[in-house]
Structures are given as structure tokens and as C-alpha cells.
Amino acid sequence: MNSAMLEGGMAGASATALAADRRTSAQMLLSEAARLEELAADERRVASQLSNLPASYSILHDLLVPGAESSFDHVVLGPGGVFLVVSHRYDGDLSFHAETGAASDESLMAAVRAVAADARMLAEALATPVAPVLALVGPESDADLPMKVEGVIVVPIDRVDRAVSRGSHTLLASKAIAEVSERALPLLTTPSMVERTHEALAAADETDPLRSEEHTSELQSHHDLVCRLLLEK
């Protein structure tokens, strides 16, 4: 009895399946890369806005605190205290509860609570109070911003410099600011420094209570001390 010859299976089936799997993974990686590039662009926009602060402020970007899940966007140190500034892209309806001040969108509230938690962690690392600031990147809103939501300053990106310069919470002498700066410098993920100059645009004008004449000499001495510290590193 003759037995029939057989041909079974599918040629290239395993390779085709692996290729499809790799293609899906590649598309996911490309999507994630695009999202990260968008975040980086948002952070650069915030950094550009913060550069309008007077030269009496030190601005540090991309710090990693031990125990944190990710790096912190920006830390600003000045005569009015230390601020953690985090950018957040938000495209939803920006509205707040009239009595509680809470945002109507829970995803925005999650971002508010996340930056508040990060500020507490940073405050412990720097041994000084840290005010959290959430800089919103997105469409224009009719909401009355900046405003405080659960202790976090929520502000449009184009007003973040003024929110910081007018948000004094802890008056620090020049020596104290230099000491905090020294504790912050090792946290930089990219330890490169440039001196901030007096040509930086002043975010706080003459009407700003933080910029009174009685503080002028103190701000100047702080600038000189911190710049020497940064350039020595």
C-alpha cells in the first residue's frame, strides 16, 4: 500500500510572527520616544520662561533625588525661597470648584498631588521648604490663573516666571541660599553650569513687592556668592 507524501506547516510562519511582534514593539517605542520628545520640548519652554527671572535667582534643571521615580524638571532658588517647577501638558477643560479650589478634572488633580509629593521629597533632600509649581502647557483658558490648588501654584507656562518671583514663601539670606544650592548641585543629572548674568530680563517689575529697594544689596550679594559656587563645581 503506497503512502501519500505530505507537506505541512507554513513556511516562514515563526519568522513572520516574530516580525509582527517586533514591528508592534517598534511602533510602541517610537510612540514613547515621541511622547518623551514632547515632554522635553515642554521642559525647554519652561526653562526659557524661567530665564526671564532676575540674575539673583539660581535655576537648576533636571535633578534626580534619591528614591524618586523620575527626575524633577526645574528647581529655582532665590530670596523668596525654593520652588519646584514641573511642566504638565493639559488639553482638557480647565475649571475649578468655586469653594474648594479643586480642579474638576481628576487627571489634573493627580498631577497637582504628584508635584506636591515631589516638593516634599525635595524639601527633605535640601533641608528647606520647597513650594510646588505646576506649569500648564496647553490651550488658553478662562480660569483665573495663577491660583493655589491644595498648596500647589497652578500657572500657565507663559506666567511661570512671575508666579515664582511673586510667590515668596521663605525669606532666605544669601548664605542660606548658597548652602541650599550646594546641596542641590550633586542632584543634577547633567552637571554643567553657566553664570546667570544681569542681562537676564527681570520678571518682577517695580510694582513687585519682592523687588523693593531695601533688598537690592542682598540680592546682589546672593548672586555673586551663588555664581562663585556654581563656577567652582
Side-chain angles (χ1 to χ4, degrees):
M1 184 175 185
N2 294 330
S3 58
M5 299 297 102
L6 302 176
E7 180 176 351
M10 180 181 293
S14 295
T16 300
L18 286 173
D21 182 64
R22 298 293 191 274
R23 195 178 304 278
T24 299
S25 298
Q27 290 171 345
M28 292 175 62
L29 288 172
L30 287 173
S31 177
E32 177 68 4
R35 185 187 69 84
L36 291 172
E37 288 170 347
E38 187 177 68
L39 289 177
D42 291 344
E43 291 178 23
R44 285 191 290 269
R45 285 184 61 191
V46 174
S48 176
Q49 199 68 31
L50 290 174
S51 70
N52 292 330
L53 286 166
S56 53
Y57 287 79
S58 293
I59 305 171
L60 305 178
H61 308 291
D62 210 49
L63 296 87
L64 186 59
V65 174
E69 294 183 358
S70 60
S71 61
F72 296 165
D73 293 358
H74 319 275
V75 175
V76 180
L77 306 94
V82 180
F83 299 82
L84 170 63
V85 182
V86 175
S87 60
H88 178 68
R89 182 167 289 273
Y90 184 73
D91 298 322
D93 179 25
L94 192 59
S95 59
F96 299 87
H97 193 280
E99 295 181 2
T100 65
S104 57
D105 191 306
E106 189 55 38
S107 66
L108 181 56
M109 287 306 300
V112 166
R113 289 162 186 152
V115 69
D118 288 345
R120 290 191 293 270
M121 181 178 292
L122 182 62
E124 184 175 348
L126 300 183
T128 191
V130 175
V133 180
L134 190 66
L136 297 181
V137 183
E140 292 294 327
S141 170
D142 294 332
D144 186 17
L145 297 177
M147 69 179 301
K148 275 196 173 182
V149 180
E150 295 190 1
V152 176
I153 301 172
V154 180
V155 62
I157 186 175
D158 60 352
R159 281 180 260 169
V160 66
D161 51 332
R162 291 188 178 273
V164 168
S165 66
R166 297 176 179 179
S168 175
H169 62 90
T170 304
L171 295 179
L172 297 178
S174 300
K175 182 179 179 181
I177 298 173
E179 291 173 349
V180 175
S181 298
E182 189 170 12
R183 289 193 289 271
L185 291 177
L187 304 178
L188 290 170
T189 60
T190 306
S192 60
M193 301 292 162
V194 294
E195 181 177 354
R196 300 198 69 234
T197 68
H198 289 287
E199 282 68 35
L201 297 175
D205 56 27
E206 295 178 356
T207 62
D208 190 336
L210 287 180
R211 304 294 297 162
S212 61
E213 293 181 1
E214 64 188 60
H215 290 135
T216 301
S217 61
E218 181 180 357
L219 298 183
Q220 176 62 51
S221 62
H222 156 63
H223 168 257
D224 294 339
L225 185 58
V226 171
C227 283
R228 285 199 302 272
L229 176 64
L230 294 177
L231 296 174
E232 287 172 0
K233 292 291 179 179

